[in-house]
Amino acid sequence: MRFFQPAAKPQVSKSVADAIAREEASGLSYVFWGRNLVLVLLAIWVSLTLPFERSSLYLSAILAFAALGIVPYALRNRTGANTAPVLAFIILDAAALSFVLIVPTPFDFEGWTQQMNLRTPAFLYLGVFVVSMALSYKPTLVIWTGLAAAAFWSLGYLWVATQPNAIPFTSGDVLDEGMGPEMALAKILDPNAVGLARLSNQVVFLVLISVILTIVVVRSRALVRRQVAAEAQRAMLSRYFSPNIVREFSEGRWEPDEPGNRPVAVLFADMVDFTSISEKLPPHELIALLRAFHGRLAKVAFEQDGTIDKFIGDAVMVHFGTPRTRPNDAERALRCAARMAEVIGEWNAEREREGAPPIGVGIGVHYGTAVVGNIGDEHKLEYTVLGDTVNVASRLEKLTRKIGAQVAVSNELIEAVKRGGADPSVVAPGLLQAGVHDVRGRRESIEIWSLSRV
């Protein structure tokens, strides 16, 4: 098993683009429903705090804002990625909100002037308007909203400042005139006075929150990109490595150790009579057959949390007990072997209905101590298991032809299953003792258990 990061830039880029597009689409939905929720809360608050003769104007404005929100949302859903309708209605929103906050007189009593509207905290609703656009997940919309709000609020503010009865002033005007505190305070508090310094501060406020929110959105999008890219790379790695290895490695819960001895169960599965099959099939059909064969075996191995070490031609090598040793390693290996035989039997039933010849499989499983770890140098590493346990499992797979069985299991594995508290006959129904057999490369004979061919 090789630790490397396969290049998959096109897939990752497409995945990131799709994820960002989904976030933007859902973001506009959040803006729409969040806007409506705020408008409902404002309508309730206005109805409870103002008499009807004064609240009716604001309730009408709230309904108008609700209508302005429905149109771009509907157009955005119909036109897809086209943001032009949204940009256009942001301008209308900014203009309408500035008008409502500046032009109508909120207090119905004598002496209240248009200029005094600029001194109320109503300006903060523009800030809420800008903040809400951060839900869109689009930096351009946040910037556009901030600029539109600043522009239309400035136009409305300056319009009030240029009215015939208005007295515009700046802080510098008051200080330069050298007037005393009482006169300066009287000028500032004059009902017709319009402080231009307040406008500067308000514009700066809108610009600053727009910049901050834009940075927040950009960072959020970068986080999504990293997360989607990591998931895409993890999915790509899972095509080459076992999911248990990828999962623990990507989550930082496991770092490959130096090679060392540990107990493992090793399984070899091989297609029977592959040489004669390969001679009869054209290359593309042979590759398709191997992929179907390997795919079925790999799925079973992954279901049992086995680690696929490698595909060797038509064979597959799987081990259990890596990257961590578990009490049921032997049990999972035996269950995997039995399930592999069952799956190939089901596949042969399908092939028979299609008029294709059956595919035989030989499976050998052994349990014992093996060398586990990274093998290789700094340029190329392979996470694998080595030693007598691996050799015996491979020999047992070859032995299935001799004993006429589909699965050959060593007595060492059966004893390990029992030590783990499981019943081998329940884990692999039909398991029978197959006597003692000589295995090439071993001085001592091995007691074998087997599952007959399906």
Side-chain angles (χ1 to χ4, degrees), residues 205-333:
F205 169 76
L206 291 175
V207 171
L208 289 179
I209 64 170
S210 299
V211 171
I212 293 172
L213 289 173
T214 300
I215 295 173
V216 170
V217 172
V218 169
R219 285 199 63 192
S220 300
R221 290 165 68 99
L223 179 61
V224 169
R225 287 190 181 93
R226 288 194 296 270
Q227 184 176 1
V228 172
E231 288 298 324
Q233 290 171 355
R234 178 172 171 173
M236 181 64 69
L237 285 172
S238 296
R239 298 177 60 187
Y240 295 91
F241 309 137
S242 297
N244 56 340
I245 293 286
V246 175
R247 181 174 59 251
E248 298 212 5
F249 191 71
S250 63
E251 293 175 359
R253 294 188 286 134
W254 170 69
E255 186 70 26
D257 301 321
E258 288 298 319
N261 292 325
R262 78 168 66 168
V264 294
V266 181
L267 179 152
F268 276 88
D270 188 24
M271 185 184 297
V272 175
D273 203 20
F274 176 72
T275 302
S276 62
I277 292 174
S278 62
E279 292 175 351
K280 300 173 184 177
L281 294 177
H284 67 280
E285 292 185 16
L286 181 62
I287 294 299
L289 179 66
L290 282 176
R291 285 179 176 173
F293 181 74
H294 287 157
R296 284 167 170 80
L297 299 183
K299 182 180 179 182
V300 176
F302 292 158
E303 287 173 352
Q304 299 302 322
D305 258 352
T307 299
I308 293 183
D309 189 293
K310 57 177 69 73
F311 293 104
I312 312 167
D314 60 314
V316 59
M317 174 182 170
V318 186
H319 34 87
F320 299 80
T322 56
R324 302 177 188 275
T325 299
R326 293 195 240 170
N328 65 342
D329 290 334
E331 177 187 344
R332 288 185 292 111

Side-chain angles (χ1 to χ4, degrees), residues 319-361:
H319 34 87
F320 299 80
T322 56
R324 302 177 188 275
T325 299
R326 293 195 240 170
N328 65 342
D329 290 334
E331 177 187 344
R332 288 185 292 111
L334 180 58
R335 182 176 290 108
C336 181
R339 180 57 185 155
M340 281 181 172
E342 184 180 357
V343 164
I344 296 302
E346 295 169 354
W347 185 33
N348 282 329
E350 296 176 9
R351 291 176 61 81
E352 183 179 1
R353 288 192 294 269
E354 298 170 355
I359 298 296
V361 63

Side-chain angles (χ1 to χ4, degrees), residues 151-162:
F152 282 100
W153 178 257
S154 298
L155 288 174
Y157 200 104
L158 294 174
W159 174 77
V160 173
T162 56

Side-chain angles (χ1 to χ4, degrees), residues 50-278:
L50 293 177
F52 180 75
E53 58 271 15
R54 281 194 285 164
S55 66
S56 58
L57 173 64
Y58 294 101
L59 291 175
S60 300
I62 288 172
L63 289 175
F65 279 113
L68 283 175
I70 293 173
V71 177
Y73 179 73
L75 289 176
R76 179 64 171 76
N77 286 338
R78 177 170 296 185
T79 59
N82 185 11
T83 58
V86 179
L87 297 177
F89 276 88
I90 286 176
I91 293 177
L92 291 177
D93 278 342
L97 184 58
S98 299
F99 176 84
V100 170
L101 297 178
I102 292 175
V103 175
T105 301
F107 303 104
D108 187 17
F109 57 81
E110 186 177 356
W112 188 271
T113 64
Q114 192 78 55
Q115 288 74 26
M116 293 180 68
N117 286 349
L118 304 179
R119 304 181 191 181
T120 68
F123 162 78
L124 295 176
Y125 288 108
L126 271 176
V128 175
F129 171 57
V130 176
V131 170
S132 67
M133 199 52 63
L135 296 173
S136 68
Y137 217 70
K138 288 181 69 70
T140 53
L141 289 186
V142 177
I143 295 174
W144 184 262
T145 303
L147 293 177
F152 282 100
W153 178 257
S154 298
L155 288 174
Y157 200 104
L158 294 174
W159 174 77
V160 173
T162 56
Q163 295 301 302
N165 61 333
I167 307 174
F169 71 93
T170 65
S171 300
D173 293 337
V174 176
L175 295 174
D176 291 342
E177 290 177 5
M179 61 183 66
E182 294 183 358
M183 293 183 61
L185 186 61
K187 182 172 184 178
I188 294 172
L189 296 180
D190 189 299
N192 295 314
V194 179
L196 298 181
R198 182 184 292 112
L199 173 61
S200 301
N201 290 328
Q202 291 170 342
V203 170
V204 169
F205 169 76
L206 291 175
V207 171
L208 289 179
I209 64 170
S210 299
V211 171
I212 293 172
L213 289 173
T214 300
I215 295 173
V216 170
V217 172
V218 169
R219 285 199 63 192
S220 300
R221 290 165 68 99
L223 179 61
V224 169
R225 287 190 181 93
R226 288 194 296 270
Q227 184 176 1
V228 172
E231 288 298 324
Q233 290 171 355
R234 178 172 171 173
M236 181 64 69
L237 285 172
S238 296
R239 298 177 60 187
Y240 295 91
F241 309 137
S242 297
N244 56 340
I245 293 286
V246 175
R247 181 174 59 251
E248 298 212 5
F249 191 71
S250 63
E251 293 175 359
R253 294 188 286 134
W254 170 69
E255 186 70 26
D257 301 321
E258 288 298 319
N261 292 325
R262 78 168 66 168
V264 294
V266 181
L267 179 152
F268 276 88
D270 188 24
M271 185 184 297
V272 175
D273 203 20
F274 176 72
T275 302
S276 62
I277 292 174
S278 62

